[in-house]
Amino acid sequence: MTFYQTIAEGLFFAFILLVILGSILTIRTKILMHTVLGLAVAFLGTAGIYFYLGSMFLTLMQILIYVGAICIVLVFGIMVGYTPTEVADKTIKDWRNKFLAIFSATTAFLLLIACVLKTDWVPALAENRDFSITHLGEEFLYTYCLAFELISIVLLVAIIGSIILARGGREDEYKTIEHLRSAKGNYPNDDAQ
Amino acid sequence: MMMLSNNLNTYLILGVFLLVAGIYGLIQHKSFIGMLVSTELVLNGAGVNFMAFNRFLAPDPAVGQVITLFIMGIAAAEAAIVVSFILAVFRRYQSIDPNEVKELHG
């Protein structure tokens, strides 16, 4: 193994470490802002993994879409309904949830690892090692044209739907809050929209 | 010495780890935002798996990239929709704790 290969392996391990530490921070912390920060770190590590898997384009897309867009949307969601002390104080006292989480996660991990290690993976015969963006674009516009158009429709519907959902009930927002304050602990059963 | 970055199993185990971390977070988080974040981890693990199979096994290396890009698009749409759900739920219940939103609880 040459000097440069050693450096490449070291960088690969650094990226794997980023993914693992980021996801552990994501699932273990009780402060929601730290959750999203851990998610961003894990996504950056995954972008490096995509680079090692030979796709520069997906590396850039991962950073643009996940770190740049989805994490910002999540921070917006946190801004809506979140007070730091309330969530931090609310420790995980429900031991049943934690037991279920550990049990299902360990079971799934062991089963899937056994599957991965026991299977004999056979590469396909016709090898075509063209990772270029030109080839990817041609595939998008010829072979997967219908799926490409459908995903744009799905995105359009999602955007319009989220705008409608987020706007609904804005007029009587103050009325609802006053109603909640006057009748504490009693959620309004009538249609708030 | 065998290089780990040129071995399919390394990437598959990383994908399994991301999936399992997502499942763990989905069960034990105490807010809708935390559950949404864990879902993103699961989708990311799926993307890593597709890219690994694409690099080592697939006959045409564009297929896995196309599927991973679709996963990213679906994840973006899902995040936008769920955040607006959270907004609507917070407006009605003044809380993002799943335990407090139980009007339809049996």
Side-chain angles (χ1 to χ4, degrees):
Chain A
M1 201 150 73
T2 64
F3 176 64
Y4 293 110
Q5 276 177 334
T6 317
I7 292 182
E9 280 298 279
L11 267 180
F12 181 69
F13 276 109
F15 281 130
I16 285 189
L17 210 65
L18 269 188
V19 174
I20 291 178
L21 291 183
S23 35
I24 286 178
L25 178 64
T26 303
I27 59 179
R28 287 300 300 164
T29 180
K30 282 162 198 129
I31 299 173
L32 279 182
M33 197 62 209
H34 293 180
T35 306
V36 176
L37 286 179
L39 189 73
V41 170
F43 283 163
L44 280 177
T46 318
I49 299 296
Y50 285 164
F51 186 75
Y52 274 84
L53 284 169
S55 177
M56 191 68 206
F57 179 63
L58 269 186
T59 308
L60 294 176
M61 282 302 114
Q62 172 87 6
I63 296 175
L64 263 179
I65 298 179
Y66 270 120
V67 184
I70 292 185
C71 285
I72 301 297
V73 169
L74 291 174
V75 172
F76 269 119
I78 289 178
M79 275 167 54
V80 173
Y82 166 62
T83 45
T85 49
E86 181 196 353
V87 180
D89 284 347
K90 205 181 282 171
T91 48
I92 304 166
K93 52 187 174 246
D94 194 0
W95 60 270
R96 202 183 47 148
N97 254 13
K98 198 154 191 181
F99 171 73
L100 272 178
I102 289 174
F103 175 72
S104 51
T106 336
T107 317
F109 188 74
L110 291 179
L111 278 176
L112 288 171
I113 289 288
C115 283
V116 166
L117 294 182
K118 272 197 178 297
T119 312
D120 191 17
W121 303 107
V122 185
L125 282 179
E127 287 272 334
N128 164 19
R129 300 281 86 190
D130 189 1
F131 275 89
S132 66
I133 303 181
T134 321
H135 183 51
L136 186 62
E138 279 171 2
E139 288 287 305
F140 257 126
L141 288 182
Y142 293 127
T143 319
Y144 302 101
C145 184
L146 179 65
F148 186 63
E149 297 300 330
L150 276 181
I151 198 102
S152 56
I153 292 179
V154 165
L155 277 173
L156 180 70
V157 170
I159 292 169
I160 294 177
S162 59
I163 289 174
I164 291 174
L165 271 175
R167 267 195 66 86
R170 170 170 289 186
E171 292 78 21
D172 45 23
E173 186 181 1
Y174 290 105
K175 226 164 42 187
T176 313
I177 292 175
E178 285 305 313
H179 181 67
L180 275 169
R181 276 190 189 139
S182 60
K184 231 179 169 117
N186 221 354
Y187 298 118
N189 281 323
D190 54 337
D191 197 359
Q193 304 292 318
Chain B
M1 184 190 156
M2 194 178 67
M3 284 175 64
L4 272 180
S5 64
N6 204 15
N7 187 1
L8 175 62
N9 281 351
T10 319
Y11 298 99
L12 290 187
I13 290 173
L14 192 70
V16 168
F17 175 79
L18 279 170
L19 168 76
V20 164
I23 292 175
Y24 180 88
L26 199 59
I27 297 177
Q28 71 103 34
H29 260 299
K30 283 280 188 176
S31 68
F32 285 123
I33 298 274
M35 292 162 80
L36 174 60
V37 166
S38 309
T39 319
E40 300 293 339
L41 274 186
V42 173
L43 288 173
N44 215 27
V48 169
N49 246 11
F50 272 115
M51 281 301 287
F53 284 129
N54 176 50
R55 159 82 173 72
F56 290 102
L57 303 181
D60 184 357
V63 181
Q65 298 184 56
V66 167
I67 295 178
T68 312
L69 278 171
F70 283 158
I71 291 177
M72 283 183 192
I74 295 288
E78 172 247 3
I81 287 279
V82 174
V83 164
S84 66
F85 274 170
I86 291 170
L87 235 150
V89 165
F90 182 77
R91 195 172 283 148
R92 195 174 163 94
Y93 291 91
Q94 303 297 308
S95 162
I96 54 169
D97 186 344
N99 284 331
E100 292 180 21
V101 185
K102 51 184 179 185
E103 212 164 76
L104 288 179
H105 192 262

